[in-house]
């Protein structure tokens, strides 16, 4: 494992912990897209179906369990524990517009036409777009709390670091995973505009990140 992969995993973990702590401490999930969190839980579920059949390393197994547990804990807090604070009126992205093409691509673009491989491919494609309901919600409300933007920043940083990881592996191992790389690049592109706003507004101390009004 190289440093970019390790830092990417740490960044991903930090993002999820930030979100969980935000919800738990404020006892509110206002501003958080439950739909995005359900999609991320689905990503981890379909990706880690080999948890009990394939052993790579203790680190790999532990991280799989941690990401699964934290993703479902987040969904539980949003839809059960603090459901009264869930902003369903603004969390209105039509997830079927994501799921249908992702399912279709998973059957068309995969390395081996087997159930586990198709589900793994599905998880890769879905992760690339799972954040869209959250970004749509921020666009709809026009602002986001700084703690929510910190979560999104570390989530985007995780994808950027994984791109560096793939570049490193290509140059040192000759390894190239076309499906993962293309999906990762697409996902990172979604964060580019957010990164700009994050560095120019949130890091300057604004309690909330307001989006520019359209002309």
């Amino acid at each position: 494992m190289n440093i970019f992969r390790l830092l990417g995993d740490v960044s991903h973990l930090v993002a999820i912990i930030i979100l969980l702590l935000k919800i738990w401490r404020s006892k509110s999930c206002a501003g958080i897209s439950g739909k995005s969190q359900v999609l991320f839980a689905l990503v981890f579920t379909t990706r880690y179906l080999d948890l009990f059949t394939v052993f790579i390393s203790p680190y790999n197994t532990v991280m799989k369990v941690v990401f699964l547990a934290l993703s479902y804990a987040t969904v539980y807090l949003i839809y059960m524990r603090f459901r009264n604070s869930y902003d369903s009126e603004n969390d209105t992205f039509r997830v079927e517009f994501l799921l249908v093409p992702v399912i279709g691509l998973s059957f068309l673009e995969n390395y081996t036409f087997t159930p586990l491989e198709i589900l793994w491919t599905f998880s890769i494609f879905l992760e690339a777009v799972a954040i869209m309901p959250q970004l749509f919600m921020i666009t709809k409300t026009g602002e986001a709390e700084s703690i929510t933007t910190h979560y999104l920043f570390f989530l985007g940083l995780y994808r950027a670091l994984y791109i560096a990881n793939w570049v490193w592996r290509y140059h040192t191992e000759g390894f190239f995973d076309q499906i993962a790389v293309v999906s990762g690049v697409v996902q990172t592109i979604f964060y580019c505009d957010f990164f700009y706003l994050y560095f120019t507004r949130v890091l300057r101390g604004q309690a909330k990140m307001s989006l520019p009004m359209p002309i």
Side-chain angles (χ1 to χ4, degrees), residues 55 136 153 165 202-203 205:
F55 179 79
F136 177 80
F153 170 76
N165 161 62
V202 177
L203 294 186

Side-chain angles (χ1 to χ4, degrees), residues 160-179:
L161 286 167
Y162 255 66
I163 291 177
N165 161 62
W166 293 321
V167 172
W168 177 267
R169 292 192 65 184
Y170 179 75
H171 283 286
T172 59
E173 306 171 25
F175 175 84
F176 181 74
D177 186 332
Q178 180 177 333
I179 292 176

Side-chain angles (χ1 to χ4, degrees), residues 43-85:
V43 165
F44 294 131
T45 301
T46 53
R47 184 173 302 172
Y48 300 148
L49 289 173
D50 63 350
L51 179 62
F52 300 106
T53 59
V54 177
F55 179 79
I56 298 175
S57 68
Y59 171 85
N60 183 269
T61 299
V62 169
M63 292 301 281
K64 286 179 179 180
V65 172
V66 168
F67 282 125
L68 279 167
L70 293 182
S71 64
Y72 277 98
T74 304
V75 171
Y76 167 76
L77 291 180
I78 293 174
Y79 287 102
M80 299 294 292
R81 186 66 179 268
F82 303 121
R83 61 183 179 275
N84 292 333
S85 62

